[in-house]
Amino acid sequence: MLSPDDILSNKSQPATLGSVWNRLDPTFRSECTVEAGTWEEKSLNKWASDRIKELLTSVGSVEFSGGKAEITEVSNCVGDAFLVTVRNKKRVGYNYELTLKVRGEWNIREEKKMVKGHIDIPEFSFGELDDLQMQVRISEEKDLSKEDKLQISQDLKMFLQPVREKLLLFEQELKDR
């Protein structure tokens, strides 16, 4: 570990490129590295993105009082997933944001209406699924009233629980890797 004396002794030297760490005696640096242990990080991005898409498109349809809808596609799946090994202990983590395409059918004023939309899931990460948030965007439907759109948006938010359950399964699978 760097001591205050190590840092101060290097301040009196002329300015050079690089960190104080790099200017320390290599033997001292080596001893610190051994004490600190090893760090290895492995990207799991491809597996994670593919698995999230597979799990969320398998949610199936969700029924509401006025109709039903399903997730047809994960149109945006951006983030990172990783496995870090520190001192022979494995730790996993991820950070993602998603957009889900949805399609459904509602009974509105005794008429069946097909509605499309998107569910945006802003940034979420490992261990934070209890706080998962969703924003619903309904595709422009000219023959829907403001009240109809509000009801459909509320209905689509019922996807929160099944999506959360699939993402909890994803977390468990990630930990088991």
Side-chain angles (χ1 to χ4, degrees), residues 38-154:
T38 58
W39 170 282
E40 180 185 334
E41 184 169 327
K42 180 180 175 184
S43 171
L44 300 174
N45 293 347
K46 172 136 179 50
W47 174 84
S49 294
D50 290 347
R51 189 63 180 137
I52 288 171
K53 290 175 183 179
E54 181 182 357
L55 287 168
L56 294 181
T57 53
S58 74
V59 165
S61 61
V62 173
E63 302 219 6
F64 320 109
S65 60
K68 65 180 180 177
E70 66 181 340
I71 296 170
T72 59
E73 179 186 351
V74 178
S75 59
N76 186 37
C77 181
V78 177
D80 294 303
F82 49 88
L83 168 68
V84 176
T85 306
V86 180
R87 297 184 191 134
N88 291 326
K89 288 188 179 181
K90 291 183 179 183
R91 295 185 176 105
V92 293
Y94 68 86
N95 188 351
Y96 271 87
E97 61 183 58
L98 306 169
T99 300
L100 313 175
K101 281 188 180 181
V102 292
R103 178 183 60 218
E105 186 177 85
W106 276 262
N107 294 318
I108 299 173
R109 291 180 297 283
E110 299 179 27
E111 188 179 332
K112 286 190 179 211
K113 301 271 185 183
M114 290 298 294
V115 178
K116 294 180 181 178
H118 296 86
I119 297 174
D120 296 313
I121 302 174
E123 191 172 327
F124 62 97
S125 53
F126 192 85
E128 297 180 355
L129 292 177
D130 287 343
D131 299 327
L132 195 66
Q133 301 289 314
M134 291 184 158
Q135 284 104 36
V136 175
R137 293 179 288 132
I138 297 174
S139 300
E140 280 305 309
E141 300 291 336
K142 294 170 181 38
D143 56 346
L144 291 177
S145 70
K146 188 175 181 179
E147 293 80 22
D148 294 338
K149 289 181 181 181
L150 183 59
Q151 181 60 52
I152 292 168
S153 290
Q154 290 299 85

